[in-house]
Amino acid sequence: MDFTFFQKKQHIWRDWIASYLFLLPALAFFSVFVAYPMLKGIYISFFSYTLRDFDFIGLENYQTLFQDATFGKSMWNTLLIVLIAVPVVVIFSLFVAMMIYKKSEGLRSLFRGVFYLPAVSSVVSITVVWASIYHSNYGILNYITSLFGMEPISWLGDTRTALLSIIVVLITTSVGQPIILYVASLGNIPKSYIEAAQMDRANSWQIFKNILWPMLMPTNLYIIVITTINTFQVFAIIQLLTSGGPMYSTSTVMYGVYEQAFMLGNFGIASAMGVILALVIGVISFIQFKYLGSDVEY
Amino acid sequence: MMFSSNVKTNQRPRPLASRADLRKKAPGFSTIIANLLLVLLGLLFLFPFYWIVTGAFKVQNVAVAIPPQWFPTDPTLDNFRVLFKNPVWRWGFNSFFVAASEMIGVCLTASMAGYVLAKKFFPGRKFIFILFVSAMALPKQVILVPLFTMLADLNWIDTYKGLVLPAIGWPFGVFLMKQFAQTIPSELMEAAKMDGCSEVRLFGTIILPLLKPALGALAIFTFINAWNDYFSQLIITRSTPMMTLPLGLATLQGEYTTPYGVLMAGAALASLPMILIFLLFQKAFTQGITMGAVKG
């Protein structure tokens, strides 16, 4: 009796050790390359950290940023991009998904593929072609607007149009994943619900509002949160199309982090920007959860 | 919880109503409009790729002609000739090598961790899982400054180590594998244990084969993510021979401000491999996206 008890205890111990050993590689990579840098980023943000010095300065980086007009501009641009792009991405994706989810498997994968292409092909390729489309002299966009008698516009060089031009590119590269998710979730909604509603002579809008939309809530939440997080971090499109210009009109916090750290060598300020960005994203995700997730069951 | 745990996408039974039932009703006016709109949107999304491919074969004065030349009138291979004066093969190799190494690293570490997080009971299990999940929601770019200084201290800037190893810490992989491993029946493990199977053999011969569909999805997902991880690659590489294909292409953008043909040829080269991989493995890829995000 005692003997089997010990055997069992030993067995559990060996099981635990085996489990930790299996976890070890993933946990090690995660700790060294994700968790540690995250903590170190917060630490660095309290330092004046340039190529020359490393001095503790408390909250000075944060004070500097809050008084800096260009940082304010970047933050405003970032929020503007999120406020425009996220709703457009969600509505556009849902719209496309509604149109294709009932189609045959072949057509569904064709359309999923078409809308996913900009996300899957390199962002550099996408920006190269958009740069040519937006070009003020021989871009296609100005050619098309000229057919309607409009004067040519320097889409990326004009403070009034640059940010919007960036947002359009961002949207085309962002809708692929939400469309795939919506098509999958719509396909998972039991047909019997819709049939029952049709028996009761509900019209398409009523079916959408009372059945599809509520059933999509978990997916909506996921898509909104993920799209928000990704949109906050848009970088390559901006760096390659406008480098934050003209006149900081397309500069974002993420671009500011890059500029401060990797072009100017101010790692302390850049880290503080990163921390602020993380906090903003955290707070917004939290609000989205609270507000949208309240009647979602998990 | 933000991410539900059922992994049942693509496995729903076929609807009882046959397609013939649906066809009985003639398509209404609104359906026709919707389909037209859908096709139009699709063409708009395809247009940039059409423009890249045709642009790659256009001579300069055709590429910048107004009105735009919708078809390349004097198709030429010159753009590719100019493009290949750059170390394009090296860049392509770097991209593939980095993406493949990341893929193998993530799949290996994530499948091991995901399996024990789903199937074993040990102290700290829940805490570790929450750690991974909460890191997924945090913006990755925020860690890039400290990561960069760390890699600089290690002398890993501009090396393959610096490009590959940090990306293996990707917590999404662990999450995905855990979600999938949960669906494996525990009886299988117990039976193998009874027969005196060691942990390592159990994992290699029973668990890994069962994880295959999820591993396939994760592999494609990691590969494409790595190929497109422009920001990390931008800050970690320095020298031209260490650049990945998208980065190399981006330097051309600065170098050739006017020859659009060369840029388009480069754009075609940087995106076509991924488009091909995506088209070949669309199913696995779609699974990777929906797994864990959509309730079954």
Side-chain angles (χ1 to χ4, degrees):
Chain A
M1 193 68 190
D2 271 340
F3 180 68
T4 48
F5 173 77
F6 274 117
Q7 227 180 11
K8 206 161 191 181
K9 188 117 190 171
Q10 203 190 11
H11 179 73
I12 287 174
W13 264 104
R14 281 181 47 187
D15 212 44
W16 285 0
I17 292 169
S19 302
Y20 289 127
L21 284 176
F22 269 77
L23 261 177
L24 191 66
L27 207 55
F29 277 106
F30 175 78
S31 316
V32 175
F33 296 115
V34 181
Y36 170 73
M38 209 164 267
L39 296 175
K40 200 183 171 197
I42 300 171
Y43 175 77
I44 292 176
S45 74
F46 300 118
F47 284 79
S48 164
Y49 184 2
T50 61
L51 294 174
R52 260 177 243 132
D53 53 4
F54 189 72
D55 296 316
F56 182 78
I57 51 166
L59 290 171
E60 215 180 287
N61 284 330
Y62 292 93
Q63 279 171 346
T64 314
L65 285 176
F66 281 118
Q67 287 156 3
D68 182 9
T70 46
F71 179 72
K73 177 84 180 148
S74 307
M75 187 51 100
W76 170 243
N77 288 339
T78 309
L79 293 174
L80 208 59
I81 292 174
V82 170
L83 280 175
I84 297 172
V86 174
V88 174
V89 166
V90 170
I91 293 167
F92 183 93
S93 319
L94 184 57
F95 183 70
V96 170
M98 289 289 295
M99 287 193 283
I100 63 176
Y101 87 100
K102 276 193 233 156
K103 299 211 179 329
S104 67
E105 176 56 40
L107 273 179
R108 253 195 329 234
S109 64
L110 173 75
F111 278 108
R112 273 191 317 222
V114 165
F115 289 105
Y116 203 83
L117 278 189
V120 81
S121 48
S122 166
V123 67
V124 182
S125 308
I126 298 297
T127 53
V128 162
V129 67
W130 277 100
S132 91
I133 290 171
Y134 283 138
H135 197 282
S136 45
N137 296 333
Y138 36 82
I140 309 158
L141 192 56
N142 272 346
Y143 169 72
I144 292 168
T145 54
S146 75
L147 297 179
F148 297 95
M150 282 166 67
E151 289 293 308
I153 295 171
S154 172
W155 295 98
L156 295 168
D158 191 319
T159 49
R160 287 166 302 178
T161 53
L163 192 66
L164 206 64
S165 306
I166 294 274
I167 292 174
V168 169
V169 183
L170 174 69
I171 289 169
T172 65
T173 59
S174 309
V175 294
Q177 192 165 337
I179 288 174
I180 290 175
L181 286 168
Y182 273 133
V183 169
S185 323
L186 283 166
N188 283 336
I189 293 174
K191 293 269 177 303
S192 52
Y193 291 14
I194 298 160
E195 278 157 15
Q198 278 167 340
M199 297 267 205
D200 293 340
R201 294 171 186 249
N203 62 32
S204 318
W205 172 247
Q206 285 168 325
I207 291 176
F208 176 77
K209 204 185 90 186
N210 297 319
I211 300 172
L212 300 184
W213 182 252
M215 298 281 293
L216 283 176
M217 263 339 255
T219 312
N220 282 331
L221 176 66
Y222 181 82
I223 288 173
I224 291 171
V225 171
I226 291 293
T227 310
T228 307
I229 292 174
N230 288 341
T231 307
F232 263 111
Q233 300 178 59
V234 56
F235 172 77
I237 297 172
I238 291 171
Q239 197 236 357
L240 292 164
L241 282 181
T242 61
S243 302
M247 305 281 288
Y248 294 100
S249 63
T250 58
S251 181
T252 59
V253 179
M254 204 52 242
Y255 188 77
V257 171
Y258 168 75
E259 204 174 31
Q260 284 296 334
F262 303 109
M263 291 172 81
L264 304 170
N266 294 328
F267 296 111
I269 286 268
S271 293
M273 277 186 185
V275 172
I276 294 173
L277 183 66
L279 283 176
V280 172
I281 296 176
V283 168
I284 288 182
S285 304
F286 181 75
I287 294 170
Q288 287 172 339
F289 262 109
K290 265 249 130 69
Y291 182 70
L292 290 167
S294 53
D295 52 350
V296 176
E297 276 176 54
Y298 285 93
Chain B
M1 236 10 235
M2 172 170 183
F3 308 95
S4 66
S5 52
N6 281 354
V7 191
K8 263 172 125 187
T9 25
N10 287 350
Q11 287 170 6
R12 78 205 145 82
R14 291 209 151 249
L16 288 173
S18 69
R19 191 143 290 130
D21 292 342
L22 298 171
R23 225 178 263 150
K24 269 182 211 154
K25 258 198 288 177
F29 183 65
S30 58
T31 324
I32 294 171
I33 295 283
N35 283 341
L36 266 176
L37 195 63
L38 185 66
V39 170
L40 199 74
L41 285 173
L43 289 176
L44 270 177
F45 266 69
L46 283 178
F47 176 75
F49 299 95
Y50 173 78
W51 208 233
I52 288 175
V53 174
T54 51
F57 298 102
K58 282 177 188 165
V59 293
Q60 176 70 358
N61 60 3
V62 175
V64 299
I66 288 290
Q69 300 288 303
W70 304 105
F71 303 100
T73 29
D74 281 312
T76 173
L77 286 173
D78 272 355
N79 296 321
F80 288 95
R81 246 170 252 140
V82 177
L83 180 70
F84 274 94
K85 280 182 186 149
N86 295 283
V88 173
W89 289 112
R90 175 72 197 249
W91 293 340
F93 167 78
N94 290 346
S95 275
F96 271 103
F97 179 75
V98 168
S101 317
E102 272 180 37
M103 181 179 89
I104 293 165
V106 167
C107 283
L108 248 156
T109 58
S111 57
M112 286 164 65
Y115 154 62
V116 292
L117 283 173
K119 285 288 162 198
K120 297 277 184 182
F121 297 91
F122 53 90
R125 165 177 177 263
K126 207 160 191 173
F127 172 76
I128 293 170
F129 182 62
I130 289 173
L131 205 69
F132 280 121
V133 172
S134 48
M136 269 165 52
L138 282 166
K140 180 190 159 214
Q141 270 84 343
V142 172
I143 67 170
L144 273 171
V145 175
L147 186 66
F148 174 83
T149 60
M150 193 171 110
L151 296 179
D153 290 341
L154 289 166
N155 265 328
W156 282 12
I157 297 295
D158 213 28
T159 64
Y160 289 121
K161 274 184 286 188
L163 280 169
V164 173
L165 295 180
I168 296 176
W170 197 37
F172 176 78
V174 177
F175 169 75
L176 192 75
M177 295 316 286
K178 190 241 172 194
Q179 297 299 78
F180 194 83
Q182 264 167 345
T183 61
I184 296 174
S186 300
E187 292 80 14
L188 275 177
M189 293 156 52
E190 277 152 26
K193 274 275 176 63
M194 292 286 190
D195 294 343
C197 190
S198 74
E199 279 294 336
V200 177
R201 256 194 64 196
L202 172 77
F203 180 73
T205 56
I206 296 175
I207 305 297
L208 264 188
L210 287 170
L211 288 177
K212 246 189 213 157
L215 271 173
L218 181 62
I220 311 275
F221 215 60
T222 318
F223 193 91
I224 292 185
N225 261 3
W227 186 277
N228 288 332
D229 192 0
Y230 176 78
F231 195 4
S232 317
Q233 293 169 1
L234 174 74
I235 64 166
I236 294 168
T237 54
R238 275 293 130 83
S239 62
T240 312
M242 278 308 290
M243 280 178 183
T244 53
L245 196 51
L247 277 177
L249 174 59
T251 60
L252 296 185
Q253 203 178 13
E255 205 177 316
Y256 306 97
T257 37
T258 6
Y260 268 123
V262 180
L263 280 177
M264 293 299 172
L269 217 60
S271 55
L272 281 182
M274 285 309 99
I275 293 176
L276 279 180
I277 288 179
F278 172 68
L279 293 179
L280 284 174
F281 300 105
Q282 207 201 106
K283 205 168 173 196
F285 195 79
T286 311
Q287 257 178 357
I289 290 176
T290 46
M291 221 181 264
V294 179
K295 228 170 181 175

